[in-house]
DNA sequence: AGGCGCTTGTGAAGGGGTGCACAAATCGCG
DNA sequence: CGCGATTTGTGCACCCCTTCACAAGCGCCT
């Protein structure tokens, strides 16, 4: 389930406040989901709750971390140390969530050798060696879209089977390799769609509808994420 | 539909190569989806295809951009010009996709006045004035999680009804306000889950299963995104 | 003008996620 | 020891998305 990481973050937050147990409703609120959904999700990994009491925070953290494969600190290779790559390399939020940025790679000779956060940028050609030395488990692509497919091929060639892609393009990879994409422009466009839809809906009853703005109202706003009412 | 932006990007790419028309299958491949799904999606916004020929690229681009509300270039306010904020502010991919970063805001006095990409960082207190001056339509939060809720409240207060949140926390906003979240650690954790699952599945037939690794195999890998086979 | 091939648009079937509502189980208290 | 309050785990119904498959429509070639 893609919601487990969300639960995990909420659980860590609760643990810091001192909670030892949480009810499904409490955790559901903290994670922003339905309590029934949360219980069903957790039941998929076993019965780790106590009826009448709730869930043991520490136990649940361990269980989720195990299921997510975070018992071992996974090594991440970041390819493309440009604008975005610098921000990612300097981010400490990965280390605190079970990951270790083990390598920074770039094709630009002028960038090679640069030191960021205690890590030296190495040339992409060294990827095969770095991959085995650091036992890379996840590759992050932060190169321009034109280079993304080539980089993905190189990552796959050295045995990486999980890729996080920031370039706005679709990657073609062999079966068995997982790719997740993060495209910020798409996120903004989805928000723009909702803005347009909201504007149309409020304008319609007043103006009677201009026939131009009537169209978006007929589209279901089926997103991956939903608005959170208060 | 959350896939429309993906189609739009693929269409732009096809237009640059010189294609005037595309078949549903061609566009589906470029966007990485099923052709039937694509046809059904497009049918929701009207019949803009010609049987036996395909879709007119230019016409389809216009239609999708209209539905997404991209006919007007939306103004974006970026709050939190730190590590990540700098990368976002310097990114040219927003401008080419229908958005305009209209304001950079931060609470840190030492950051105020800094110039990035021709834009001056202003203090967060100026948000009310900036919002009306630039007619801000979307707010982007790139502050630490501890400040995210406060920033969201300020954005809502000045009339922003769409927020893109990079801070790893759930935001509580009034009904009618849309929030989308991007959490990179969660993306990595989902990849880690798949790594763990793959490792378990390949180990099981060989070793007979260690009962410890058997658990994740029973979890459906139900993600927002799916692996792309070749 | 007519036929043929290609592509769209859609009906129907299937699958899966979601949320309600409730039984079972546990703890605390009298 | 028993009872009530509380909370988990889950059966079930509903709904939406996905996908197959096919008829209808369009252009082109003869
Ligand atoms: N900057 C952002 O905020 C942002 C936001 C969303 C998406 N993106 C996307 O992220 C990607 C990177 O953006 P950026 O702003 O950092 O671009 P950038 O040009 O600043 O950095 C790209 C880096 O990749 C390196 N590179 C190019 N080809 C390479 C190759 N074959 N192997 C290894 N390294 C290679 C370049 O040397 C450069 O250092 C782009 O696809 C962009 O669309 C960036
Ligand atoms: N850097 C990354 O690559 C990255 C990746 C994923 C997520 N994030 C998340 O993005 C957020 C920002 O990350 P960062 O690395 O840029 O942090 P950062 O500390 O470098 O930058 C945060 C900025 O926000 C400003 N700020 C703090 N409180 C504010 C307020 N109330 N109003 C306006 N501005 C305020 C600070 O002055 C600072 O400039 C964090 O929540 C982080 O978890 C960052």
């Amino acid at each position: 389930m893609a919601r487990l990481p969300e639960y995990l973050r909420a659980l860590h937050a609760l643990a810091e406040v001192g909670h030892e147990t949480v009810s499904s409703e409490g955790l559901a609120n903290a994670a922003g989901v339905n309590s029934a959904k949360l219980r069903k999700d957790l039941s998929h990994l076993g019965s780790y709750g106590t009826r009448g009491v709730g869930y043991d925070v520490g136990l649940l953290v361990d269980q989720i971390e195990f299921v997510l494969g975070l018992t071992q600190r996974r090594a991440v290779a970041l390819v493309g140390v440009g604008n975005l790559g610098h921000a990612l390399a300097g981010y400490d939020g990965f280390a605190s969530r079970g990951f270790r940025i083990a390598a920074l790679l770039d094709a630009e000779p002028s960038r090679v050798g640069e030191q960021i956060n205690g890590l030296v940028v190495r040339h992409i050609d060294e990827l095969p060696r770095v991959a085995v030395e650091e036992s890379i488990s996840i590759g992050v692509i932060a190169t321009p879209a034109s280079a993304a497919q080539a980089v993905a091929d190189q990552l796959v060639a050295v045995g990486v089977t999980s890729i996080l892609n920031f370039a706005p393009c679709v990657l073609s990879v062999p079966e068995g390799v997982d790719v997740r994409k993060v495209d910020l422009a798409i996120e903004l466009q989805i928000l723009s769609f909702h803005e347009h839809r909201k504007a149309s809906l409020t304008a319609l009853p007043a103006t009677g509808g201009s026939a131009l703005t009537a169209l978006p109202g007929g589209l279901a706003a089926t997103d991956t994420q939903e608005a959170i009412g208060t």
Side-chain angles (χ1 to χ4, degrees), chain A:
Chain A
M1 283 293 176
R3 285 184 295 269
L4 288 181
E6 197 74 41
Y7 302 156
L8 187 59
R9 193 178 48 68
L11 283 168
H12 274 132
L14 287 169
E16 277 190 12
V17 187
H19 285 68
E20 300 218 340
T21 61
V22 223
S23 70
S24 63
E25 196 151 332
L27 182 54
N29 285 340
V33 299
N34 185 295
S35 67
K37 193 191 297 186
L38 181 138
R39 285 200 299 274
K40 187 151 293 191
D41 286 346
L42 294 186
S43 73
H44 285 329
L45 22 128
S47 289
Y48 297 109
T50 309
R51 299 171 189 235
V53 177
Y55 296 92
D56 183 286
V57 174
L59 178 62
L60 207 49
V61 165
D62 289 345
Q63 282 302 324
I64 293 181
E65 286 188 345
F66 169 73
V67 172
L68 291 180
L70 299 176
T71 45
Q72 49 173 309
R73 173 164 293 255
R74 294 192 177 274
V76 176
L78 174 58
V79 184
V81 193
N83 212 347
L84 178 61
H86 268 89
L88 295 175
Y91 184 43
D92 59 349
F94 294 139
S96 59
R97 304 247 228 132
F99 299 95
R100 178 175 66 91
I101 296 191
L104 305 177
L105 300 161
D106 204 298
E108 185 69 33
S110 61
R111 289 208 191 275
V112 175
E114 187 180 350
Q115 196 153 350
I116 303 173
N117 231 16
L119 227 59
V120 177
V121 178
R122 304 171 75 170
H123 193 270
I124 181 71
D125 289 345
E126 295 189 41
L127 175 60
R129 181 148 47 103
V130 173
V132 294
E133 277 177 2
E134 303 283 353
S135 57
I136 296 295
S137 133
I138 297 177
V140 176
I141 299 179
T143 68
S146 54
Q149 182 62 57
V151 170
D153 292 342
Q154 294 179 72
L155 286 170
V156 170
V158 301
V160 172
T161 52
S162 290
I163 295 176
L164 181 56
N165 178 30
F166 284 94
C169 64
V170 295
L171 294 181
S172 162
V173 297
E175 198 173 2
V177 177
D178 287 305
V179 175
R180 290 190 69 83
K181 187 185 19 160
V182 175
D183 190 327
L184 307 183
I186 285 187
E187 299 298 324
L188 288 181
Q189 288 179 348
I190 293 174
L191 286 174
S192 172
F193 166 68
H194 284 115
E195 281 292 307
H196 191 206
R197 201 169 53 90
K198 281 185 284 195
S200 306
L201 288 178
T202 55
L204 274 177
T207 66
S210 68
L212 275 178
T213 56
L215 189 59
L219 262 185
T222 310
D223 286 2
T224 298
Q225 308 180 356
E226 66 266 70
I228 304 169
T230 312

